[in-house]
Amino acid sequence: IHGSTQEIIWRYVVDIRILNKTFSVVRILDTIESFIWHECFDKTGDFEIYTRYTDDLYNTLLEDYYVSIPEMSDRTMIIEDREIRTDPENGDKLVITGRSIESILDRRIVLQQTQIDSSFQAGIQTLLNDAVINGVYPERNIPNFIMNLSSDANITSLNLAAQFYSEILLDVIESLCQQAGVGYRVLLNSSNQFVFSLYYGTDRSFSQSTNPYIVFSPENDNLVDSKYLETKRFYKNYVLVSGNTPSAWPGYPLRKQAWTPEIGTGLDRREMFHDATDLPLFVLDSGTEIPDSVYLDQLYQRGLEVLSANSKLISFDGEVRVGLPGYIYNKDYYLGDFVQLKDAYGHQVRTRVVEMTISENVSGKSQYPTLKSA
């Protein structure tokens, strides 16, 4: 720590690397005020760098440049926002924020009507091929973007029947993965390629006997300041999905309908409605009608995604102790892994590591996993 009491700077123990658009390191940050690195299993992560303002930093930490901390994470982030906060008393501050490189999929839409009736992974591959890898319009392709196929049976066994048109690609992939319980990531390899892959995680909970157990609990002295939440406030277990019907079918019900899945009766039944008339009933280019059974499968898939977003929730947030003997993130356990949770009040559940936040400031370094019931 140096400087006046109005200007507290700390030296980060791991290098924060700034890479330009050609992936060359242009700056290594080792002296800033605070740093937050948040990576996720089935959605984009984000980061924040907070430090005093200098012209040199402002002219180096540019939009669309990349941020990495290779000693602690295999993820890469993109600078999206640069904010200057003026403060005559304590000195001006520079705040740099952005999202993980999965966010580049936010730059594309599903440009053409896309029918999918295949394995889950092949469906994702079709969407990526059309939008960023080898699409009809070369200007949309990202030359250094590739997909690495998974051989994990938890992924290869999944199927997908759906259609998409005009949606943001990132939103589609995120929704599909969250419904299927699958993670996605884009890693930067040694050849500076964006490598997309699906992944499932490893079971390290009490539900299996192959891998060493990972148990977070106060009695193991590896979890502090925890928050346990159970909620069914937004829980639904039955959705009526309504789609289109052709006017050429007189007397057919006003809309085709798909029900997903019917669970519970009486007070245990929690219903909702979803309007899926955005799903065309015809192939737009040719006017060919989509077969009734295929269209109903697509409505059913939409219903599964809606229910996934309205599930009952058991979540657990807690700070992992660092600097003590115990489990090391990205060595003993990873994003997507299933671990065992035990809190001080007898709650013991199999959970999945869906987020990890790494932060450091003048007060020290912390790691916060977010665990979700599995």
Side-chain angles (χ1 to χ4, degrees):
I1 301 174
H2 59 84
S4 69
T5 56
Q6 296 178 332
E7 183 181 300
I8 300 175
I9 307 291
W10 60 276
R11 184 167 295 277
Y12 189 49
V13 296
V14 175
D15 292 336
I16 304 171
R17 299 187 181 187
I18 308 300
L19 293 72
N20 62 18
K21 293 182 180 181
T22 61
F23 309 105
S24 297
V25 178
V26 296
R27 186 75 176 247
I28 296 179
L29 301 179
D30 59 0
T31 306
I32 56 179
E33 294 192 30
S34 69
F35 178 64
I36 300 173
W37 184 271
H38 175 222
E39 49 193 46
C40 303
F41 172 64
D42 56 11
K43 60 183 179 181
T44 57
D46 53 80
F47 78 97
E48 178 188 273
I49 297 171
Y50 180 91
T51 192
R52 64 176 179 174
Y53 174 88
T54 68
D55 289 339
D56 182 44
L57 278 177
Y58 186 76
N59 293 325
T60 302
L61 278 62
L62 301 178
E63 293 172 354
D64 296 327
Y65 276 22
Y66 303 95
V67 182
S68 70
I69 50 172
E71 294 178 48
M72 298 192 69
S73 175
D74 58 3
R75 304 300 175 99
T76 305
M77 308 273 184
I78 302 178
I79 295 175
E80 296 181 305
D81 311 295
R82 302 189 301 159
E83 179 183 0
I84 301 172
R85 299 179 184 176
T86 58
D87 187 339
E89 294 185 3
N90 299 311
D92 296 344
K93 305 301 179 184
L94 178 62
V95 184
I96 304 295
T97 58
R99 292 177 293 168
S100 56
I101 57 175
E102 290 82 10
S103 65
I104 61 178
L105 301 178
D106 195 28
R107 305 178 188 184
R108 295 290 186 274
I109 63 171
V110 182
L111 189 60
Q112 302 179 84
Q113 184 185 22
T114 302
Q115 304 280 336
I116 296 175
D117 187 8
S118 64
S119 72
F120 183 88
Q121 184 166 230
I124 298 294
Q125 186 178 30
T126 295
L127 293 168
L128 291 173
N129 279 338
D130 291 347
V132 297
I133 297 177
N134 189 29
V136 174
Y137 303 100
E139 63 272 18
R140 303 183 73 226
N141 296 333
I142 300 175
N144 57 331
F145 194 105
I146 63 175
M147 180 174 180
N148 186 17
L149 296 178
S150 171
S151 60
D152 189 333
N154 291 300
I155 293 173
T156 59
S157 62
L158 299 174
N159 295 312
L160 177 63
Q163 68 161 302
F164 304 100
Y165 176 58
S166 76
E167 297 99 322
I168 294 173
L169 180 61
L170 178 64
D171 293 344
V172 170
I173 291 177
E174 183 174 299
S175 176
L176 290 175
C177 286
Q178 290 176 355
Q179 179 270 312
V182 171
Y184 70 95
R185 60 191 169 199
V186 177
L187 303 181
L188 195 63
N189 69 11
S190 59
S191 300
N192 293 326
Q193 293 175 302
F194 298 114
V195 183
F196 178 96
S197 63
L198 301 172
Y199 68 110
Y200 190 76
T202 301
D203 196 343
R204 308 179 192 276
S205 72
F206 291 164
S207 299
Q208 52 80 45
S209 58
T210 303
N211 303 302
Y213 298 139
I214 299 292
V215 183
F216 290 112
S217 68
E219 65 185 80
N220 286 352
D221 202 30
N222 60 9
L223 198 63
V224 295
D225 297 332
S226 61
K227 180 177 71 175
Y228 179 88
L229 170 67
E230 294 183 41
T231 179
K232 294 180 73 174
R233 176 175 298 189
F234 306 106
Y235 172 53
K236 303 294 182 181
N237 56 21
Y238 178 98
V239 57
L240 172 61
V241 183
S242 183
N244 296 293
T245 188
S247 57
W249 290 4
Y252 194 79
L254 178 62
R255 291 174 176 173
K256 292 189 175 183
Q257 300 170 332
W259 296 263
T260 62
E262 189 169 351
I263 301 175
T265 59
L267 288 176
D268 292 328
R269 184 181 178 90
R270 296 171 180 245
E271 300 178 344
M272 65 180 296
F273 172 80
H274 178 75
D275 184 348
T277 52
D278 60 303
L279 287 177
L281 189 59
F282 296 89
V283 178
L284 298 180
D285 291 340
S286 65
T288 304
E289 181 189 326
I290 298 171
D292 190 45
S293 59
V294 174
Y295 191 72
L296 288 174
D297 285 344
Q298 295 173 356
L299 293 180
Y300 188 84
Q301 170 63 32
R302 175 67 69 84
L304 293 178
E305 295 171 39
V306 171
L307 287 181
S308 176
N310 291 273
S311 60
K312 53 188 174 184
L313 175 66
I314 298 177
S315 68
F316 191 93
D317 291 306
E319 179 183 347
V320 175
R321 288 186 181 273
V322 294
L324 295 173
Y327 309 124
I328 300 174
Y329 178 60
N330 278 338
K331 181 179 178 181
D332 298 314
Y333 69 100
Y334 303 82
L335 273 180
D337 284 358
F338 299 91
V339 299
Q340 201 70 24
L341 166 69
K342 297 170 64 177
D343 71 5
Y345 300 97
H347 298 114
Q348 179 171 302
V349 293
R350 179 178 182 259
T351 61
R352 181 178 235 161
V353 183
V354 294
E355 299 177 23
M356 175 60 78
T357 302
I358 300 169
S359 66
E360 191 166 354
N361 54 33
V362 68
S363 300
K365 182 168 64 176
S366 301
Q367 291 184 1
Y368 298 89
T370 297
L371 309 176
K372 185 176 180 181
S373 63

